[in-house]
Amino acid sequence: MKKLIFVWYIITSLISFIFYWHDKNKAKNGEWRTFEETLHTIDMLGGWIGASFAQKFLNHKTSKGTFRTRFYLNILFHIVGASIAIFMMT
C-alpha cells in the first residue's frame, strides 16, 4: 500500500509539473491559459509536490495571493491526511 501511495504521488507530481510548465509557456506566448481550477484539482489529487517544484523553478503562479492560499490549503490537507494515515497504519 505504501508503495502504491508513493507511486501515486510521483505520477501526479509529474503531471502537475507538466501542466504548470505548459501553462507558463502559454502565458509567455499570450495564448489561452490553463484554468486555475484544473491546476488546483491536480494538486489536490496529489500533484502538489510537482507543483511546488514548478512554482519554484519556473517562477510560475508565485505572486497571485488567492491562488497561493488555495495551494497552501491543498498542502495542509495532504500533510494532515498523511499524518492521520500513518498514525492509523501503525
Side-chain angles (χ1 to χ4, degrees), residues 35-88:
F35 291 113
E36 287 185 355
E37 193 61 37
T38 302
L39 298 175
H40 284 306
T41 300
I42 296 167
D43 298 345
M44 189 63 161
L45 291 173
W48 64 272
I49 298 168
S52 296
F53 281 107
Q55 289 176 23
K56 175 71 175 172
F57 294 115
L58 303 174
N59 194 31
H60 191 52
K61 296 291 189 187
T62 57
S63 62
K64 189 170 183 184
T66 56
F67 185 88
R68 302 290 292 167
T69 300
R70 283 192 66 192
F71 178 71
Y72 288 129
L73 287 173
N74 277 338
I75 292 173
L76 180 64
F77 171 81
H78 279 275
I79 290 172
V80 169
S83 298
I84 291 170
I86 289 169
F87 177 75
M88 299 295 267

